[in-house]
Every structure is written in structure tokens, then in C-alpha cells.
Amino acid sequence: MSTVEYELGKHPGPPELERVEVDPITMRVLGGAFHAIAKEMSGVLFRMSYSSIIRESEDLGAGIFDALGRELCESDSTPMHIGSLPWYIRGFMRHLEGKIVEGDVIIHNHPYYGASHSPDIAVAVPIFWEGELQGFAAVTAHVLDVGGSFPGINADAFDMYAEAKIYDGLRWYQAGELNEDLDRMVFDNVRTATMNRGDMNAMMAACQLGRDRMLRLYERYGVDTVMSAAYDWMDYSEAMLREQIRALPDGEYTAPTGWLDDDARNRDVRLRIETKVIVDGDEITIDLTGSNAEVPTGYNVPYEGSLLVGAYYAVRTILLDEVTFPEHVPQNDGVFRPVKVIAPKGTIYNPTFPRACFSRFCQVQRVVDNTILALADALPEGVTAGNSAGIHFCAYSGFSEEMGEYWLYLEVNEGAYGGRHGKDAMDSVDNLMANTRNNPIEELDLRFPIRCDQYELRPEPAAPGRWRGGIGIIRRNRFLVDGVYSCEGDRQTDPPRGIFGGWDGLVASCRKNPDTAQQEILPAKVTGVPFAAGEFIEFREPNAAGYGDPLDRPPGDVREDVLDDFTTIALARDAYGVVFADERTLEIDAAATEALRGELRNSRSVTSLTDYFAAELPPSTKPVSIAGNAEFGMT
């Protein structure tokens, strides 16, 4: 079946199993068992894996699925993988249906047949009971290298074949026997064979554990009871989400037009994002019509494995928040059913084969962020202001003669959440679809020829609002040996958007050898930039946006912000209208504050932190950076 014939986004429909009645106690027990299996699978994976992107950042997904890919359960890990595995399974079943036997281990990463992108390899193990295929235990995780043109990250790739080695539903093991020729092909064609093999063996072990746990449930409760309970839980999750959608006013809600920096090759040509959210009864549609045409690089988005997943996550996280929602709603196929996505073919959100689509994360982040912004008027107390909604996903690499293969370090740099009703935002945290753990500096120092010179909140203040936006990070990493750097990132031109009068946030930046004579401004997306020993990179991740008018923030809270370095005396005056009678003691001049706030309400020239710092970013040279520069003769 060619990509022309393959119908994107086709759901398998309602289950055909003639269900048996399951009592409420057994339902709860089995529901807990499903969730526990998924969590145990993910625990095996991140504890056994070799690479830090899985072991430390937990960039993975794990779960149990029926024979057509319907999700029974999935781990509480990176949201980017929630809902992608059903599409992987549908993708490889198009040519493996009826051919799978017990003991098979299947690998798959084809981005036009369900994969979230080619580095996210899925490993799937079939679950048989009395000779009949009941489903799959499956995991997906980001492996370090997939054999593209540059180590680790390939934002500027010619086509899909240039970005990675593609595994389209291949049987790594057949009936329990290793396919040795395939095994050599997979691991002889990547730069990090040892790490990839360790990670993929961990993935297989996680799947085998999931299979064995399901077989124990079949043995104890019977396969009909187990699967009936699973399908009943799907119906329950679907009903709960539809109920929340139905509570929204019907209508069309449009986010402000968003802009991506560039496509990693054609600089200064921004890419358009249009997002409309349509609520119709108990269904919700995210319509991206009007978004940019596909691009000739790897900066396109796989429709099934990434875009649909982003839509599922956006709707679920807004309407079924696990902290605020009064009941537990399991993650399963039912959550996907009421959510539709429109993305015209030939756009960045639905590219045409064989366009490369390696670097797709920031675009999906912006869809989620725009969906939240679009629903702000309908759910003012259930949304945030604009989030950083972008990452600098970096690859640092070089060749180790001692090991005889490449060393490769992947790092996801976090931003911040936007302000929310009743609360200031969270600082320095991965947000929305990313939600990966940060990589400890100790991991970097112990395992790689890189040193972290600086890692802290960036020096600029938070975006003003009745509730302030979060502050992103500043990080500096220095090569100790000659190496190569690649990155997929964004948000260096279009700041996070404030809502209800809050200020827009602060864009990201990336500099090579900052605050030295060798300083060079880098775009967010680069491929294969050489670094000499001693040279270093600096990231400043976006400060997210404010929620509500900053003139409504109590002056005492603004004073505390100044004391805690969340804002400055100047910004307290210019944005919050707070005047200090004594800038040493920060005693507030109440009369002057009231008068200034009256003036600012009638005339405000700046409502964006990016515009406020348009002239120049403040320097951030720390003693360790100075020492490192001296060590390597940099001035």
C-alpha cells in the first residue's frame, strides 16, 4: 500500500467483541491493573536504557493495545507519545496483518505510517491467547541516532531518506529467533550502535513484561472479561470527555496568527500558523487551514503520530486536568474519539511523502499553545496565557577513537508556563507537549566531554500581568574537545502571547561564544555546526506571557517580585505602575502609584517584554564562564 492509497487518521471504529458484563469492583481492579502495567513497562524502560534521553529525560511511551491498535492504557510519561502508538500499530499492520506469530518482535519508525518521527522507534510484541492475536504490548522511545546526514538531529534534511534509516514494520525477532541480518543492518548503520542496542533491548524487555502481565490477567479473569472491561473503560473515558466538550458554548474560536522562525534553511522567511477551534455539540475540531505550505527541509510534521497526538493532548489537558477534575479519567482510546483535526495536505502539518519531517516538535507545541489561547474567552479560568511552547532540542557529538564510535548527547532545554487565573506561572520547566525531565549536570559531566558553565533562571524579569508569566532558563554548555552541534528550536521571533491584558513574553535566543570577541548569533535551527574545544553555546529559553492587567496586581506583590528578582524597579514602574518612595527600602508611595496607574490605563506604549528588551539582552557572564574562557584562551 503506497502513501497515496493509505488513508491518514482512519480510526478502527467501535470494537466488535461481544462483551460480557463486568461488575463495578472487577472493573476498578482491572482498570488499576491496566494503568499499573503501563507504568511498570515505562519503569523498566527508563531504568534499563543506556541513553540519557530515555533514562533521565524519560522521552518514551508505553502501553497495551488491542489487535487493531486501540489503546487500553498508556504510561504517564512524555505527552508527545500519548496516542502515537495506535498509529504505529495501524501503520505496520497494513502489511503484517495475518502474518504475525507468537515470539515476533516488530520495529517501526516510518513517519508516513504512524510514527511520531523517525528517531522515535517503536518496539511491539504481540499478545496471543489460545492461538488468537489479542493485541500488542508496545513502547516507543527516542533513540540517539538513526543514521541521518548528521549525528542526532537533522533539521535541514533533503527528504525522509536523508534524515534516518526507515524501519517499516520489520520483524527483529521472528517466532522468537533473532533475525541476524536485520539486526546487523539496524545497528551497523547508526553512529551510536552500543547505546541504540542497549535502548532497544530495554524496549523489548518492557514489551515482554507488558505481554506477560496481560497473560496473567487473561488467566485469572478470562480474556472476555479483561477485554470487555478495557472497552468499557474506553467508553467511560469517551463519555466523560464528551460531557466536558458539551459544556462549552458551540462556536468557532480563533487564536492569533502564530509565526515560526524559519525552516532551518531559508532564513528570515517565517512560517505561518493558523488555528481555529470548532466546538459542535460533544465534538471538538482543531482546524489548521491557512497554515504554511510544507517546506523543503525536515521542519514538517507527521500528521498521525505527531499532529493528532498534539490535538488529543491539548483537549484532554484543558478539559480533563488530572489535578482539578474531580474524577479519574483513564488514558485510552476513548479520549481520542471526540477530537478531530483538519490539516490540508501539502502543509507543514500534513506533508506530502517523501518530505523530511524529523524536526516537528516546536510546530506541534504551537498548535497546543494556540488551542489554549483560542479557548481563553470560553474557559477564562481553565487556560494559561501564552506558554514558551518551544524547545531547543540539541545534539552535541564527536567521534571517540577510544570507543571506535561516536559519543552523542541529546538535551531538551526547558522554558516556562504562562500565567493562569489565580496563580503566577511556573518557572524553568518543560511545558505542554515536551514535559521531559531536565538532564542533570552530573550526567553531562560524568559521561561526555562537555562542561556546563551556567544553568539558572535567565536574568530578564517575568512578563507582567495580574499573574505574572514564568521565567525560562539560561544555559551555557562548553565543548572540551572538538565536536559538532545541531539543534531544532524556535520562538526567537514570535513571543508568547499575553491574555486579558497581560504582557507578551520574551523570545528565545541562541549565541555561540557569547560575551566574547568570538560571539556569533545562531538561529534556533542549525545542522552540523562545528565547535572547537573550548567554544560554548548559550540558550535563553522564552519567558512566558502574563495573565490579566498588570495594573491590577497588588502593589505589595509587585514589591515582593522586586525583592525576589522576578521583576525590576524600572519594570515595576513602567508595567505595574508601582512607585517606590525609597528604592533602597522599597517603601511604596501609594499616592504616586495610584496616580501613575491612572495615567498608564489611558496610555500604554509597550505591552511586550520582547519589545521592552529590544535593544540588547543583558550580559550574563559568570565566574565559571570567565575561568573557562581563560582556560581555553578565549577573550
Side-chain angles (χ1 to χ4, degrees), residues 363-381:
Q363 306 93 302
V364 180
Q365 286 276 63
R366 295 296 294 278
V367 170
V368 179
D369 194 44
N370 280 5
T371 298
I372 294 170
L373 292 173
L375 291 173
D377 289 334
L379 285 169
E381 297 186 13

Side-chain angles (χ1 to χ4, degrees), residues 216-367:
R216 287 170 60 178
L217 290 182
Y218 295 158
E219 184 176 359
R220 180 169 181 177
Y221 294 95
V223 68
D224 289 342
T225 296
V226 172
M227 296 307 295
S228 294
Y231 293 143
D232 287 348
W233 275 119
M234 293 179 194
D235 292 345
Y236 169 77
S237 295
E238 178 184 6
M240 295 300 285
L241 181 55
R242 288 189 184 276
E243 181 181 331
Q244 296 306 305
I245 297 172
R246 199 180 295 114
L248 295 173
D250 282 359
E252 297 184 356
Y253 304 91
T254 303
T257 298
W259 297 96
L260 300 161
D261 295 344
D262 57 53
D263 66 4
R265 184 185 306 164
N266 300 292
R267 305 302 185 186
D268 301 321
V269 179
R270 299 203 297 175
L271 311 180
R272 189 183 191 97
I273 310 170
E274 296 291 352
T275 312
K276 182 189 296 180
V277 180
I278 304 166
V279 178
D280 183 9
D282 62 0
E283 293 196 344
I284 193 165
T285 300
I286 297 176
D287 185 354
L288 303 178
T289 301
S291 295
N292 215 85
E294 61 190 6
V295 294
T297 65
Y299 205 57
N300 298 294
V301 180
Y303 176 82
E304 289 182 329
S306 283
L307 178 61
L308 292 184
V309 174
Y312 301 151
Y313 168 76
V315 174
R316 180 188 171 109
T317 197
I318 295 170
L319 299 181
L320 296 177
D321 184 275
E322 291 184 353
V323 174
T324 61
F325 198 71
E327 297 181 49
H328 172 64
V329 179
Q331 175 62 39
N332 58 41
D333 184 77
V335 174
F336 312 147
R337 297 171 186 170
V339 182
K340 314 297 180 193
V341 180
I342 298 172
K345 194 69 176 175
T347 62
I348 55 171
Y349 289 109
N350 191 357
T352 306
F353 176 83
R355 290 286 191 196
C357 39
F358 187 105
S359 300
R360 88 293 185 224
F361 208 105
C362 293
Q363 306 93 302
V364 180
Q365 286 276 63
R366 295 296 294 278
V367 170

